[in-house]
Amino acid sequence: SQANPLNSLFHSHYEGNWVHLFSDGAVARDFRNASVGRMVRDQFENWILGFNHYLGICSPLEVEFCGILDGLIVLLNKGYKRATIQTNNL
């Protein structure tokens, strides 16, 4: 089977203690209450940590930005200096 060039590019970022931050938020349509969840994996795709945060009333854009910012703060506090970020919202 032939190697996937996107997969190779994705994994090349993990060299040198890179971690991968996944962030996913949700906003309830009726009351606009929002929460965000984050997960961090190491360069070998092993789970490092995960956490959720209730944000209150927010827009979808605010939820995504809060998820990324909170995730980066946690990573910095844990001593990680290099991260790729994946979110599912444009």
Side-chain angles (χ1 to χ4, degrees):
S1 115
Q2 198 170 21
N4 180 345
L6 291 177
N7 197 25
S8 298
L9 178 65
F10 179 76
H11 287 288
S12 70
H13 287 296
Y14 287 127
E15 295 172 7
N17 291 330
W18 281 86
V19 294
H20 195 71
L21 171 65
F22 297 90
S23 179
D24 189 17
V27 179
R29 290 183 188 193
D30 51 357
F31 297 107
R32 294 181 34 138
N33 285 323
S35 63
V36 65
R38 295 151 215 89
M39 178 180 62
V40 178
R41 292 186 178 267
D42 68 10
Q43 60 193 4
F44 305 108
E45 299 185 23
N46 296 314
W47 182 87
I48 295 174
L49 61 94
F51 53 100
N52 295 313
H53 185 183
Y54 173 73
L55 299 173
I57 297 175
C58 294
S59 72
L61 183 61
E62 290 171 316
V63 171
E64 293 301 324
F65 285 153
C66 286
I68 292 168
L69 179 61
D70 287 351
L72 291 174
I73 290 170
V74 168
L75 291 177
L76 287 171
N77 287 335
K78 296 282 186 185
Y80 295 102
K81 303 294 183 203
R82 299 176 180 166
T84 58
I85 301 167
Q86 182 175 336
T87 183
N88 66 345
N89 198 333
L90 295 175

